[in-house]
Amino acid sequence: MTTFTRPPSDPDHITAFEHPALFYTTWEDYLSGVGGAVRAAADQGRPVLVAVPGERLDLLRDALGTDRPDIVWTDMRQAGRNPGRILSMLQDFAARAATGRPFIVGEPIWVGRTPAEAGEATRHEALINLAFARLDATVLCPYETALPEQVLAQARRTHPVLVGSDGHRPSPAHADPHEVCRDCDTPLPEPGDPVVLHFGERELADARDAAGRWAETGGMSPQRRTDWVLAVSEAVTNSVRHGGGKGTLRLWRAENSLVAEVRDHGRMTDPLIGRRRPDPSAATGGRGVWMIHQLCDLVETRAFPSGLVVRLHMTVD
């Protein structure tokens, strides 16, 4: 069985941040490793957030008991549908519980995640190391060994410590988060026959109208259309403000989702932009990108030498 144990340390010095990946094969492994770690953290009085897919959530709650006010339970299939909004959720919890050494279980990738979702979740895992670097917290990330090998290989790169049947050990493949993010910037597959619009400041309204008409034609509900148009509007406005004053909007349908892609000549100066809740009083921006992540079912970002590419996915239903 897999068991998570904290490595020996000087009792007078607490490691600021721990980010282990726990590999499991069976439900017994899961209950022993993840359940045991959650129980131990809660018994120590640490604030605990468990954000895992629903069926695993039920498994842990049945084992640990539902009458645990010291544990916050979250279905990752819903809260983390778009991997780009997971980090904000984890940071919000950690900020509220900062004095209690928060303990977080976050399972962002599960069997059935699309390759695009898994890729953005890998980026998220790398960024955890930047966002939490100065915090006294633990983020434990379970990985089922039935996942594709390339996903497991990336988990070894994004986590400094691995937990498996062989115990607790440093990851020899652990890489700098910036390097992992750069490696995530692979070319995106080309759509078949998209609608293409070139826009500048004067054409922003035209781009928004085109996105709204596209969603209506695609059968998106009025409420979803409102969110869709708002997300696309934020994306094209960011292009004008930060991407060289102009950009290209492409629209197409992919199975049961609508996709909007915005390309411009901008640069990603902060890899955490949009991944943390922005301060409404700050002048540094980031509110638009954060809003896009909250509204969309998937956001793919690519930083190329030629500029930025942002793809917004939203299901029709």
Side-chain angles (χ1 to χ4, degrees):
M1 289 188 180
T2 300
T3 303
F4 174 78
T5 56
R6 186 183 179 116
S9 61
D10 180 347
D12 295 326
H13 176 75
I14 299 174
T15 302
F17 176 56
E18 296 174 327
H19 186 206
L22 186 151
F23 295 92
Y24 68 93
T25 301
T26 66
W27 291 130
E28 289 77 13
D29 287 342
Y30 200 80
L31 285 175
S32 174
V34 179
V38 170
R39 181 182 289 108
D43 289 347
Q44 292 167 11
R46 300 179 67 178
V48 178
L49 167 66
V50 179
V52 300
E55 65 279 8
R56 294 158 177 77
L57 201 69
D58 293 339
L59 186 75
L60 292 171
R61 294 181 73 170
D62 288 344
L64 298 175
T66 57
D67 57 341
R68 300 287 306 242
D70 49 349
I71 302 176
V72 176
W73 306 95
T74 300
D75 187 347
M76 187 65 94
R77 287 188 187 274
Q78 300 299 320
R81 183 173 185 174
N82 171 23
R85 61 177 174 239
I86 300 175
L87 189 53
S88 177
M89 174 182 67
L90 305 189
Q91 288 181 299
D92 285 350
F93 177 82
R96 293 193 300 270
T99 59
R101 296 179 54 230
F103 185 94
I104 297 169
V105 178
E107 188 167 1
I109 306 179
W110 51 86
V111 174
R113 274 285 211 190
T114 68
E117 291 169 343
E120 291 303 316
T122 293
R123 189 190 299 272
H124 152 77
E125 288 278 51
L127 293 174
I128 284 178
N129 296 307
L130 297 179
F132 280 79
R134 299 181 181 277
L135 297 180
D136 181 14
T138 300
V139 180
L140 172 66
C141 302
Y143 279 82
E144 187 175 3
T145 56
L147 286 164
E149 177 52 38
Q150 62 267 30
V151 172
L152 300 178
Q154 290 287 20
R156 298 182 189 102
R157 297 184 71 210
T158 55
H159 294 80
V161 175
L162 307 179
V163 184
S165 58
D166 55 350
H168 188 291
R169 59 187 174 86
S171 174
H174 180 237
D176 180 89
H178 297 282
E179 177 185 341
V180 176
C181 289
R182 286 193 297 270
D183 291 343
C184 288
D185 288 330
T186 56
L188 293 164
E190 279 296 309
D193 187 23
V195 173
V196 180
L197 298 93
H198 302 286
F199 63 87
E201 186 172 6
R202 294 182 178 180
E203 293 79 29
L204 286 177
D206 295 337
R208 297 185 195 104
D209 291 344
R213 291 193 301 271
W214 181 254
E216 185 174 10
T217 302
M220 189 174 280
S221 68
Q223 181 176 356
R224 294 287 279 169
R225 273 204 312 272
T226 299
D227 292 343
W228 165 263
V229 173
L230 179 56
V232 174
S233 176
E234 291 293 339
V236 296
T237 300
N238 275 344
S239 286
V240 169
R241 290 178 178 173
H242 310 292
K246 59 183 179 180
T248 300
L249 172 66
R250 300 199 296 176
L251 302 165
W252 68 92
R253 182 167 185 137
E255 297 181 352
N256 67 330
S257 296
L258 298 186
V259 184
E261 177 192 271
V262 177
R263 291 176 177 256
D264 57 44
H265 295 295
R267 292 286 183 269
M268 183 71 77
T269 57
D270 179 4
L272 290 170
I273 191 78
R275 305 276 178 155
R276 49 193 170 193
R277 186 182 298 275
D279 181 351
S281 63
T284 53
R287 289 179 287 274
V289 184
W290 183 83
M291 187 180 301
I292 289 169
H293 278 295
Q294 301 306 307
L295 293 170
C296 294
D297 297 319
L298 173 64
V299 179
E300 296 179 273
T301 60
R302 295 293 186 272
F304 298 125
S306 58
L308 287 178
V309 179
V310 180
R311 279 189 182 179
L312 317 181
H313 300 249
M314 189 175 289
T315 56
V316 173
D317 299 330

